[in-house]
Amino acid sequence: MRLLIVEDEKRLATALARGLAAEGFAVDVAHDGVTGLHLAQDQDYDLIVLDIMLPGLNGYRVCAQLRASGDETPVLMLTAKDGEYDEAEGLDTGADDYLTKPFSYVVLQARVRALLRRRTRSAAPLLRIGDLTVDPGARRVERAGTDIALTAKEFAVLEHLALHAGRVASKAEILAHVWDFAYDGDPNIVEVYVSALRRKIDVPFGRRSITTVRGAGYRLEAGGGRDA
Ligand code: CA
């Protein structure tokens, strides 16, 4: 899952980005409305955290422009203090929820999760690939009824493969959805995570559900026969 934070208070933006990244989200940050709008239009985000009082273009206008162009990415609006912000106006511009500063990180995290759940529930409640079940809302994975513990990043990679089960996902595509804009490290990091996933979701169950397609990427399939 990839998130965009548009917030001009840099310390707050950095703190939110760190917290959400630690949970396995890919997070991009913009510090003004114009940059935020451009990123939102260019990239494929699962959710946008959008401050209202922003230099350049305010959050209301960013949200209104996105909605006017048919972009339905969930938007969680932030406001500086109670009263400055008219909730009705924010929701009129197409925001899905709002949060008044100061807020605790725990509350923000809960709202983000709630919005993402609302979205995944309407789109794909549970992803089933054979006897492998990936639950994006609860962030749980099980194979043949056995719970599998994954790290946040491992889950994010598996979730992407599961959303596109049966077709090849390239390393570049996985990087774009799971790592953030600022990641400029080795794309082979994807291999490391795929290997870790195999050790957890396949090997103990005698399966080979993640296929490496040379020069193309990875494919998750139900087939992936038993080794033994
Ligand atoms: Ca602000």
Side-chain angles (χ1 to χ4, degrees):
M1 294 273 180
R2 189 163 176 186
L3 312 184
L4 173 64
I5 296 171
V6 190
E7 167 60 76
D8 58 318
E9 290 170 47
K10 293 187 177 165
R11 285 177 60 184
L12 175 60
T14 304
L16 295 181
R18 281 202 186 125
L20 293 165
E23 289 176 62
F25 292 108
V27 185
D28 294 338
V29 176
H31 297 300
D32 66 83
V34 175
T35 308
L37 179 63
H38 286 160
L39 275 172
Q41 288 169 332
D42 288 348
Q43 309 289 324
D44 185 13
Y45 292 105
D46 296 291
L47 182 137
I48 300 170
V49 177
L50 182 60
D51 188 32
I52 288 174
M53 302 302 283
L54 288 169
L57 194 64
N58 71 43
Y60 290 128
R61 294 183 57 197
V62 171
C63 188
Q65 288 201 29
L66 285 174
R67 295 301 185 244
S69 66
D71 188 326
E72 295 300 323
T73 307
V75 170
L76 174 59
M77 282 235 186
L78 303 180
T79 183
K81 58 180 187 291
D82 211 0
E84 172 187 313
Y85 168 64
D86 179 346
E87 181 187 342
E89 190 179 349
L91 298 173
D92 278 353
T93 64
D96 299 271
D97 199 358
Y98 76 102
L99 201 53
T100 304
K101 294 179 194 171
F103 51 81
S104 75
Y105 175 73
V106 175
V107 171
L108 174 113
Q109 180 194 16
R111 300 288 186 88
V112 165
R113 292 245 178 263
L115 283 175
L116 290 172
R117 264 201 306 279
R118 207 189 291 172
R119 192 186 196 208
T120 46
R121 198 178 293 148
S122 53
L126 279 183
L127 304 164
R128 294 182 201 279
I129 302 92
D131 61 357
L132 181 73
T133 306
V134 179
D135 182 344
R139 300 173 74 76
R140 285 182 55 194
V141 177
E142 56 176 56
R143 164 88 78 192
T146 304
D147 272 322
I148 301 171
L150 298 182
T151 67
K153 257 328 188 230
E154 287 166 358
F155 184 89
V157 172
L158 179 62
E159 180 183 36
H160 186 78
L161 291 173
L163 282 166
H164 305 283
R167 80 155 176 81
V168 177
S170 70
K171 273 186 205 169
E173 179 190 317
I174 296 170
L175 272 179
H177 280 268
V178 178
W179 278 266
D180 54 51
F181 206 59
Y183 182 80
D184 57 359
D186 189 342
N188 291 318
I189 185 82
V190 175
E191 267 174 45
V192 174
Y193 280 87
V194 168
S195 300
L197 280 173
R198 284 179 172 137
R199 283 196 299 275
K200 293 184 174 182
I201 68 164
D202 280 351
V203 175
F205 303 90
R207 309 296 163 82
R208 286 182 177 171
S209 65
I210 306 176
T211 312
T212 302
V213 182
R214 290 274 165 232
Y218 302 97
R219 183 171 54 221
L220 177 66
E221 287 171 302
R226 293 161 190 272
D227 283 346

